[in-house]
């Protein structure tokens, strides 16, 4: 293990600019959100020495020769060790302008009609991700943490995992993750590559809970892997999806008022617009930013509120971006025509409603604008988060000013004190501008204070810290949840413990554990050897065998008639202690709603081979005999449908092994198993099962029992028995040898 863990940050572009003028080459760290996030985090955590080295890997937008010249002449002094990847220009363009910005960007921002589908740009995307993988492989050492950023590198986590199974990999997604209806517009191979690509990470992070849900939904629908508590099991690894809303370096924006350069800028703007209220917006040129819709909203405001004409100015700053992609140039033309049209219509000889600028801003100019504006109008049609909204709030030292924010930006989830608008609704936008104009100072301050308190507390250092903590604890969880595979040594230990024990309790699931699954559940009869083995166990009063199953009581009672064992049927709804015990049935608080039954029946009709099993406390839809892909797809649809249906009821859904069951939420194997344990005082307890319903049992008695999961899949059991080993044979071996010894 590496004694000096290192953090390797990976993003499409490096956070530096390397310029060459004449003989002089200079390097400047860029002021982007991610680099200032990382820098401020490391500045604050310098003393803890968590990472001995931080390396930033990304593609260079400067020629290799310039880098070599620079490194030869200088010691690179940045917050990070910079390690550039040099990609061939045409390849990079196919990757970046092609698949990244003409396919993924519009699709993930809900602009399906803008999406270009091209196999050749996807191939370039694969190749560039592969180049990143090669580069990182040359650098990475055991014990390192690799943190990959954003949609340009979604295939990279899995590529890297294949080569370095043990390293810690995090991925953060900065843009929205779309709903499945949008995501599925990509062909199946791309979908599979992207979803499995992301699952190469240990933690996959998003800005909002909604994006996490959409991602997990895609995992389930594309790869058929179910999730629970935002965790997915990929072969023997656990992958966690989490919500980590990115933020800003609050103090950098809050304290910036003090610099002279900003003061000069600010005073100049104030002087120019001394009798005007200022509305301000700044965005990269992008169709997702909703600039044309915003202009419509502003125009509607001028139309409906003539009293504000000549008293207001809208400073609209658009930052040049992605000029090679045709959709961006079209957008520029549209914006400029619209600005011209509004200015033409409303201007007087002394006044113009919109001051439009198409250029980048220096940090001082940006700060000055944040500080002088009365209103920030930030109305993207979609935005992963939107940091401008947070920067505006942090810059308002005197706590006045109003933020109007699109409800479709990720930041709207946290910034609820802003005036939230639908960016396509020009009437609502006009009303919000009017409300902002008239808002009393006290109310402005009340809202601003709440917004500032939140951003100060959950700033960017918090974001980095919480992601890295999640990554570290995901590794710890993996270690904890990695089941020990049962071997000879363990079997011998258990035999000794069994032999010594005064009372032994064996809690055994039936289908999939003691007998194999059968297309027809009624045909999965216990084989004669199983019955005789149970009989032998039951004859010794030290042993207490419990069959714990989702099956109905009558079937189990008939099959095990005459054998001294207990039955927990229907996941605990019906319990019979011992052979001659009283059968106890729990009462259903009310019958399962008829709409659940009709839904299951509808799915049965649509899906030949499936059927509904009626239990006393549950309804189960079985799809074991359905063609696998159809069965799986239909079962996902059914789960979605049932989730809506049973919301706010006392029912729960169990997504079992080729069966979906709806039942009372408080009835489960966990509660029933714990009840037996509490009564028995057994000093050897073994619980064994294969299905998700057995997880309740493992969870509830984990600290008091030997818990064994049969076969693959996520489990909180401590031990695992490979599917290839018959659970019945294993148990027989365990107990009969002990009995043989006892006879001697
Ligand atoms: C992705 C997601 C998510 C912009 N122009 C100038 C300038 N900026 C600075 C702003 C702000 C940042 O760039 C833009 O903020 P975004 O939130 O749009 O960030 P992006 O990196 O473009 O976008 C987005 C973000 O990632 C973080 O996860 O919020 O949803 O699309 O910091 O101040 N700064 C200066 N001059 C400019 O001309 N000085």
């Amino acid at each position: 293990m590496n004694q000096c863990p290192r953090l390797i940050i990976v993003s499409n572009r490096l956070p530096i600019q390397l310029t060459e003028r004449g003989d002089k080459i200079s390097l400047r760290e860029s002021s982007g959100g991610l680099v200032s996030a990382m820098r401020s985090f490391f500045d604050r955590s310098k003393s803890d020495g968590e990472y001995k080295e931080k390396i930033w890997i990304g593609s260079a937008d400067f020629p290799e020769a310039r880098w070599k010249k620079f490194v030869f002449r200088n010691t690179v002094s940045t917050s990070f060790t910079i390690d550039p990847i040099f990609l061939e220009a045409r390849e990079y363009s196919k990757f970046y302008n092609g698949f990244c910005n003409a396919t993924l960007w519009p699709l993930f921002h809900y602009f399906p009609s803008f999406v270009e589908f091209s196999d050749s740009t996807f191939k370039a995307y694969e190749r560039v991700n592969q180049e990143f993988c090669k580069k990182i492989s040359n650098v990475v050492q055991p014990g390192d943490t690799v943190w990959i950023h954003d949609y340009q590198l979604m295939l990279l986590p899995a590529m890297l995992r294949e080569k370095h199974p043990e390293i810690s990999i995090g991925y953060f997604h900065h843009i929205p993750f779309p709903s499945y209806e949008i995501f599925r517009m990509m062909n199946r191979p791309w979908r599979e590559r992207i979803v499995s690509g992301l699952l190469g990470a240990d933690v996959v992070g998003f800005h909002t809970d909604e994006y996490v849900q959409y991602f997990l939904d895609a995992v389930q629908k594309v790869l058929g892997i179910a999730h629970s508590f935002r965790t997915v099991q990929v072969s023997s690894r656990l992958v966690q999806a989490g919500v980590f809303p990115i933020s800003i370096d609050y103090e950098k924006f809050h304290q910036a008022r003090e610099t002279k350069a900003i003061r000069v800028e600010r005073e100049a703007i104030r002087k120019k617009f001394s009798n005007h209220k200022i509305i301000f917006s700044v965005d990269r040129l992008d169709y997702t930013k909703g600039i044309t819709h915003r202009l419509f909203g502003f125009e509607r405001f001028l139309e409906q509120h003539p009293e504000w004409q000549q008293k207001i100015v809208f400073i609209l700053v658009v930052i040049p971006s992605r000029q090679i992609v045709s959709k961006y140039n079209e957008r520029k033309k549209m914006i400029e025509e619209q600005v011209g049209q509004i200015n033409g219509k409303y201007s007087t000889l002394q006044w113009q409603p919109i001051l439009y600028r198409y250029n980048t801003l220096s940090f001082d100019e940006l700060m000055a604008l944040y500080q002088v504006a009365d209103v920030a109008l930030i109305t993207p049609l979609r935005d992963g988060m939107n940091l401008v909204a947070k920067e505006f709030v942090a810059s308002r030292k005197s706590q006045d000013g109003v933020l109007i924010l699109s409800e479709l930006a990720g930041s709207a989830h946290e910034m609820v004190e802003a005036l939230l608008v639908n960016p396509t609704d020009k009437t609502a936008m006009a009303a919000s501008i009017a409300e902002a104009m008239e808002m009393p100072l006290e109310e402005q301050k009340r809202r601003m204070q709440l917004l500032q308190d939140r951003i100060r507390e959950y700033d960017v250092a918090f974001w980095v810290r919480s992601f890295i903590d999640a990554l570290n604890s995901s590794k710890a969880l993996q270690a904890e949840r990695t089941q020990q595979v049962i071997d000879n040594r363990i079997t011998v230990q258990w035999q000794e413990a069994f032999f010594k024990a005064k009372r032994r309790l064996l809690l055994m699931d039936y289908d999939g554990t003691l007998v194999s699954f059968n297309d027809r559940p009624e045909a999965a009869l216990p084989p004669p050897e199983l019955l005789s083995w149970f009989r032998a166990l039951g004859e010794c009063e030290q042993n207490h065998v419990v069959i714990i199953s989702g099956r109905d009581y009558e079937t189990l009672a008939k099959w095990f008639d005459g054998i001294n064992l207990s039955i927990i049927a229907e996941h605990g709804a019906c319990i019979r202690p011992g052979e001659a015990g009283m059968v106890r049935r729990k009462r259903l608080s009310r019958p399962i709603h008829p709409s659940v039954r009709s839904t299951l029946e509808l799915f049965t009709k649509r899906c030949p081979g499936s059927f509904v099993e009626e239990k006393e406390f549950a309804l189960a839809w079985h799809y074991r005999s359905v063609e696998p892909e159809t069965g799986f797809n239909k079962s996902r649809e059914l789960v979605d449908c049932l989730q809506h249906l049973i919301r706010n009821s006392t029912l729960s859904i169990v997504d079992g092994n080729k069966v979906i069951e709806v039942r009372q939420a408080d009835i489960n194997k966990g509660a029933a198993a714990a009840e037996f344990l509490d009564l028995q005082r057994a000093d050897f307890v073994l619980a064994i099962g294969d299905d998700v319903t057995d997880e309740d049992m493992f969870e509830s008695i984990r600290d008091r029992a030997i818990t064994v999961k049969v076969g693959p899949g996520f489990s909180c059991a401590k031990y695992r028995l490979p599917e290839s080993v018959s659970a019945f044979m294993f148990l027989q071996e365990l107990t009969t040898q002990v009995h043989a010894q006892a006879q001697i």
Side-chain angles (χ1 to χ4, degrees), residues 25 78 288 331 374 409 438 469 560 578 624 627 721 731-732:
I25 305 176
T78 53
T288 62
R331 189 62 37 176
D374 297 288
E438 308 289 351
D469 283 350
F560 295 102
R624 185 163 303 281
E627 187 275 315
L721 192 65
L731 286 165
Q732 200 180 26

Side-chain angles (χ1 to χ4, degrees), residues 567-633:
I567 293 175
I568 297 175
E570 293 197 29
H571 302 111
C574 184
I575 296 178
R576 190 197 72 190
E579 187 190 357
M582 277 267 292
V583 179
R584 250 190 309 125
R585 287 180 193 278
K586 293 201 174 166
R587 301 241 157 265
L588 253 191
S589 47
R590 69 177 83 124
I592 290 180
H593 197 274
S595 60
V596 172
R597 181 187 306 275
S598 57
T599 303
L600 298 187
E601 280 164 359
L602 188 69
F603 272 75
T604 307
K605 266 189 220 146
R606 286 197 205 146
C607 193
S610 68
F611 66 92
V612 178
E613 182 191 358
E614 181 139 3
K615 303 183 182 183
E616 196 144 341
F617 296 93
L619 286 173
W621 185 74
H622 292 265
Y623 61 98
R624 185 163 303 281
S625 316
V626 180
E627 187 275 315
E629 197 177 332
T630 317
F632 175 74
N633 290 336

Side-chain angles (χ1 to χ4, degrees), residues 31 105 174-175 207 246 282 284 289 319 360-363 366 370 383-388 391:
S31 59
W105 179 269
H174 288 261
I175 65 170
H207 291 306
I246 198 170
V282 56
R284 251 183 342 94
K289 298 293 181 183
I319 313 291
T360 52
L361 294 170
S362 69
F363 179 73
L366 179 69
Y370 281 153
D383 215 332
M385 172 55 78
N386 194 300
L387 296 177
V388 168
E391 291 168 2

Side-chain angles (χ1 to χ4, degrees), residues 15 53 115 119 176 254 277 320 348 364 438 443 618 627 662 686:
E53 197 183 351
V115 179
D119 281 331
H254 200 61
K277 288 267 190 188
T348 64
D364 293 342
E438 308 289 351
E443 177 61 7
E627 187 275 315
V662 180
L686 179 78

Side-chain angles (χ1 to χ4, degrees), residues 403 414-419 446-448 450-451 454:
L403 170 65
E414 295 166 83
M415 304 183 83
V416 286
E417 294 81 8
L419 296 181
R446 188 189 70 79
R447 289 171 184 252
M448 201 53 88
L450 291 165
L451 286 165
R454 198 171 304 123

Side-chain angles (χ1 to χ4, degrees), residues 254 257 371 395-400 441 445 448 452:
H254 200 61
R257 175 182 272 269
Q371 290 173 358
S395 310
R396 310 299 296 189
K397 208 156 184 183
S398 48
Q399 297 188 323
D400 58 345
L441 187 60
K445 288 190 169 184
M448 201 53 88
Q452 287 188 345

